[in-house]
């Protein structure tokens, strides 16, 4: 007989209640709408859940100093990756591109020259707030 330590069980979070609280606290209407959309119920089988993969490229790793240069969204389920519904935006960041970040993500100054700034890309923010994919682009 072994004397295994008792397993610790992490506290369960009521995500519906948490999102309700965050929606009430949110000041930005898109963030408020995101939280108001709620979450998938814990009893929902994972194979029935629509998911969204998100890829973000930045000018560096410092969240306070570096900016976003691209965002990609790809909807999927456990059975299907919906490549035809994928969305991608180039973003003109407030911070300068640096050589090491360009080497990593291959997004250059000429790529972002006419791209909108993140806060002007309302369609992108709306899609992220709804956590769904639909066809639309950034508005300048």
């Amino acid at each position: 007989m072994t004397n295994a330590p008792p397993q610790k069980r992490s506290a369960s979070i009521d995500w519906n209640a948490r999102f309700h609280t965050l929606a009430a606290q949110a000041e930005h209407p898109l963030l408020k709408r995101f939280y108001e959309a709620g979450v998938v119920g814990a009893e929902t089988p994972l194979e029935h859940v629509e998911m969204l993969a998100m890829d973000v490229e930045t000018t560096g790793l410092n969240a306070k100093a570096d900016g976003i240069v691209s965002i990609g969204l790809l909807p999927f389920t456990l059975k299907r990756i919906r490549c035809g519904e994928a969305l991608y935006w180039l973003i003109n960041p407030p911070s300068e591109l640096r050589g090491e970040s360009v080497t990593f993500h291959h997004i250059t100054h000429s790529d972002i020259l006419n791209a909108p700034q993140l806060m002007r890309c309302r369609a992108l923010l709306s899609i992220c707030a709804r956590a769904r994919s639909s066809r639309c682009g950034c508005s300048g």
Side-chain angles (χ1 to χ4, degrees):
M1 189 178 262
T2 62
N3 290 336
Q7 292 182 349
K8 289 186 178 180
R9 188 171 183 168
S10 61
S12 178
I13 297 174
D14 180 348
W15 287 106
N16 282 321
R18 179 72 177 134
F19 269 49
H20 180 75
T21 300
L22 292 170
Q25 295 171 350
E27 294 180 18
H28 196 284
L30 293 174
L31 188 57
K32 184 176 192 67
R33 187 167 52 188
F34 172 81
Y35 287 123
E36 287 173 345
V39 296
V40 175
E43 69 285 348
T44 305
L46 194 55
E47 58 267 13
H48 295 144
V49 178
E50 296 273 333
M51 293 177 261
L52 186 67
M54 182 176 190
D55 178 48
V56 178
E57 299 295 343
T58 64
T59 59
L61 299 177
N62 184 332
K64 293 183 181 187
D66 294 313
I68 295 172
V69 293
S70 75
I71 299 178
L73 301 174
L74 179 65
F76 69 99
T77 65
L78 290 182
K79 294 181 180 180
R80 184 173 176 207
I81 299 172
R82 298 196 311 269
C83 295
E85 297 176 38
L87 299 170
Y88 178 76
W89 294 271
L90 287 171
I91 307 293
N92 195 335
S95 57
E96 287 292 316
L97 292 178
R98 293 193 309 270
E100 57 269 12
S101 69
V102 172
T103 301
F104 186 78
H105 53 60
H106 304 283
I107 298 170
T108 66
H109 290 88
S110 61
D111 292 328
I112 63 168
L113 184 64
N114 295 313
Q117 293 181 340
L118 181 61
M119 296 314 293
R120 293 185 62 201
C121 194
R122 303 233 186 261
L124 169 63
L125 295 175
S126 179
I127 287 171
C128 291
R130 288 191 316 262
R132 289 196 179 124
S133 175
S134 64
R135 297 212 181 273
C136 60
C138 293
S139 58

